Amino acid sequence: MLRITLRDGEKAIVNGAVLRAVGRTQIAVENQVSILRGREVMQPEEATTPARQLYFAAMLAYIDPANRTQHQDTVVALIGGLVATLPSPEARAACLSFAHDMATGDYYKALTAARELIGFEAVVTEAQAA
């Protein structure tokens, strides 16, 4: 069983349905579902870099199973270019972890690796700007 707490007004996506908490809310999930809390949801306009686009495509693969193949194809198209721009061994390890999680269908875990990739990408971008 998974127990999540939502603050007043916070949103969550459960199997594609958007829920909004009215008051502080606790939800106990007793079976396997695709669930994202509001802070884990990326809006299309936020997918402004390759790592963010990768996160967005992985998120869609997770919450939109009807179009999962299309979203996975987008992930495959993006991952190679991202690996080429992230030189550190830690970033490459995060790419491998992400790819493994996507290949095994562990989309929520893949999103964690994608958030790491966003961080690595930000470091590279800042270094290039300096």
Side-chain angles (χ1 to χ4, degrees), residues 86-98 113 116-117 120:
L86 299 175
S88 77
E90 297 86 2
R92 290 181 187 264
C95 283
L96 287 175
S97 177
F98 171 83
E116 286 183 64
L117 292 172
F120 288 125

Side-chain angles (χ1 to χ4, degrees), residues 54 58 75 79 82-83 86 88-117 120:
L54 190 69
V75 165
I79 191 77
L82 186 61
V83 169
L86 299 175
S88 77
E90 297 86 2
R92 290 181 187 264
C95 283
L96 287 175
S97 177
F98 171 83
H100 176 265
D101 295 334
M102 287 295 293
T104 59
D106 195 346
Y107 301 106
Y108 189 82
K109 194 172 178 186
L111 291 175
T112 300
R115 282 190 291 276
E116 286 183 64
L117 292 172
F120 288 125

